[in-house]
Amino acid sequence: MRVGVPTEVKSDEYRVALTPAGVRELVDAGHEVFVQSGAGLGSAIPDDAYATQGATITPDAAELFGAAELIVKVKEPQPAEVARLEPRHVLFTYLHLAADATLTRGLMASGATCIAYETVEDGRGRLPLLAPMSEVAGKIATQAGAFMLEKPLGGRGILLGGVPGVAAAKVMIIGGGVVGMNAAFIALGMEATVYVFDRNIDRLRELDIAFGGRADTCFASTLSVEERLSDADLVIGAVLVHGARAPHMVTREQLGLMKPHAVLVDVSIDQGGCFETSRPTTHSDPTYEVEGITHYCVTNMPGAVPITSTYALTNATMPYVVHLASAGLARALAESPGLRLGVNVAAGQVTYAPVAEAVGVPAVPVSDALAGVAASAG
Ligand SMILES: NC(=O)c1ccc[n+]([C@@H]2O[C@H](COP(=O)([O-])OP(=O)(O)OC[C@H]3O[C@@H](n4cnc5c(N)ncnc54)[C@H](O)[C@@H]3O)[C@@H](O)[C@H]2O)c1
């Protein structure tokens, strides 16, 4: 198969979807790999490193999309990229479609088969291609929150860990999954007082063991969240309902309960945001204020640390890319039910139910959508 790796074009995105190690695996398996010139530079990977492993370096996106059948990316396609997609393409990348009806409709119109990293599942119902970036984003969430609490940046002016004789800041984390647990460990490392909220009691049990009594675990009822808001300095939003738009855990009205210049970090912003007042921001302009509360809502947080993130992401995605290239789309989906759950859009139809519900179109089973393609090809 011909596999293409374009340069990411989203604002402040420095990751790349394949490393030279991935090129080597694909070329050894008999595939052709096309890498857009400069695609790896943000992650300190020069074109030569790809070429040495057998990749063909293409000068621009037009040639790359023209040459490739399987397109492997990091972030959701931007409008210029959507315009390049055709029914013959398989797109494998983060999509987060439940929060973006315009992109969903663009992908439907392209006719391409679009597989979302964030809805691929492993045999235990976990999200293996979201997890590495959630680990990174969770750690950044606390770092960014600590920084935004500094007075010159508009924060309350409190040090996360306190000092002897002066109390530490209170960090409230809503959603105790991969992001939440990583955010909590960094906050504990910085010696803050930490509370982690979740609605899954088994998950709270696991966290309780992992924290060894150093952080409080709390059932996330509306009342318990509301009660803790009034003394939190930093609130990190990290809830996820697989593939769906994030539920609102803090309303605009509840901001009035918070201390002036407290900080909200909404990691769930890529799924629409879990605070009512959240809207997407970028690394270049990461925060804004509502009712005196700083909001940090960067949609591609791991993009800021590409040397860590590119390798963490590609370690997880590479086996799926090799499988897709070697088995072809139909057989790879038949052999891997978890990969099949990643198909969000195929042949003009939405094939992932939570996305269909969020954007208001019918959900069509993957097999039905792809059968249409096979029939028209035949
Ligand atoms: N902004 C970014 O750059 C970035 C990067 C990585 C991940 N993310 C996003 O972070 C979010 C969390 O990802 P994750 O990997 O930690 O997911 P996860 O599935 O590991 O964890 C989500 C947790 O939320 C809990 N939850 C669901 N509904 C809840 C509710 N109503 N109240 C309390 N808890 C609830 C679940 O029980 C689960 O423990 C996702 O939206 C993901 O896309 C964003």
Side-chain angles (χ1 to χ4, degrees):
M1 193 180 275
R2 294 193 302 279
V3 182
V5 184
T7 304
E8 292 297 318
V9 291
K10 185 168 172 140
S11 157
D12 296 308
E13 182 52 72
Y14 303 104
R15 287 171 287 181
V16 60
L18 203 69
T19 62
V23 173
R24 176 64 176 273
E25 302 270 332
L26 285 163
V27 169
D28 282 356
H31 305 294
E32 276 185 273
V33 183
F34 299 86
V35 176
Q36 188 178 338
S37 180
L41 285 181
S43 301
I45 307 174
D47 289 352
D48 282 358
Y50 288 109
T52 305
Q53 299 307 324
T56 303
I57 306 299
T58 61
D60 55 32
E63 200 161 306
L64 189 286
F65 279 73
E69 301 157 88
L70 170 60
I71 293 172
V72 189
K73 273 180 48 62
V74 179
K75 287 309 284 182
E76 70 279 0
Q78 305 300 296
E81 295 174 310
V82 175
R84 295 188 195 284
L85 288 171
E86 298 173 25
R88 66 188 179 84
H89 284 133
V90 175
L91 173 69
F92 193 35
T93 189
Y94 288 115
L95 289 173
H96 300 291
L97 295 180
D100 196 339
T102 307
L103 175 59
T104 307
R105 291 187 187 283
L107 295 180
M108 290 167 74
S110 77
T113 302
C114 305
I115 309 178
Y117 290 160
E118 73 276 6
T119 66
V120 171
E121 293 190 13
D122 66 14
R124 292 168 57 188
R126 296 174 305 188
L127 306 172
L129 305 187
L130 183 64
M133 294 303 92
S134 291
E135 288 163 349
V136 174
K139 292 185 175 191
I140 294 179
T142 307
Q143 283 181 196
F147 189 46
M148 294 306 163
L149 277 170
E150 291 179 14
K151 196 80 178 162
L153 287 150
R156 295 193 64 229
I158 185 167
L159 181 65
L160 226 55
V163 292
V166 183
K170 293 192 171 64
V171 178
M172 174 178 180
I173 298 169
I174 312 178
V178 179
V179 167
M181 186 169 87
N182 280 276
F185 272 121
I186 295 300
L188 288 171
M190 293 170 95
E191 301 186 343
T193 302
V194 180
Y195 306 88
V196 182
F197 288 72
D198 205 292
R199 279 186 182 248
N200 178 336
I201 295 178
D202 284 333
R203 181 59 182 164
L204 291 175
R205 288 194 180 101
E206 288 170 3
L207 290 172
D208 200 50
I209 292 167
F211 296 144
R214 291 192 298 147
D216 277 353
T217 53
C218 318
F219 184 79
S221 69
T222 305
L223 181 60
S224 67
V225 168
E226 195 167 283
E227 284 175 346
R228 183 54 63 194
L229 273 181
S230 57
D231 68 352
D233 299 290
L234 168 61
V235 182
I236 296 174
V239 301
L240 175 66
V241 178
H242 289 194
R245 219 188 144 83
H248 285 162
M249 303 302 298
V250 177
T251 62
R252 176 179 289 272
E253 198 183 342
Q254 287 170 326
L255 294 185
L257 300 170
M258 298 182 67
K259 297 178 196 170
H261 305 295
V263 172
L264 294 180
V265 175
D266 194 342
V267 187
S268 303
I269 189 66
D270 54 359
Q271 293 290 140
C274 66
F275 308 132
E276 188 183 359
T277 42
S278 295
R279 60 173 166 78
T281 61
T282 62
H283 286 291
S284 316
D285 190 10
T287 59
Y288 61 93
E289 225 180 86
V290 180
E291 315 277 349
I293 305 296
T294 304
H295 289 53
Y296 174 103
C297 306
V298 176
T299 50
N300 58 338
M301 294 166 71
V305 289
I307 290 174
T308 306
S309 301
T310 285
Y311 289 93
L313 175 64
T314 56
N315 286 345
T317 53
M318 198 229 285
Y320 289 88
V321 175
V322 173
H323 186 203
L324 264 170
S326 297
L329 177 67
R331 187 152 67 85
L333 297 182
E335 289 173 353
S336 171
L339 180 64
R340 195 183 181 83
L341 288 168
V343 181
N344 278 216
V345 174
Q349 321 254 34
V350 174
T351 51
Y352 194 76
V355 170
E357 191 180 327
V359 302
V361 297
V364 174
V366 177
S367 48
D368 292 3
L370 290 175
V373 175
S376 61

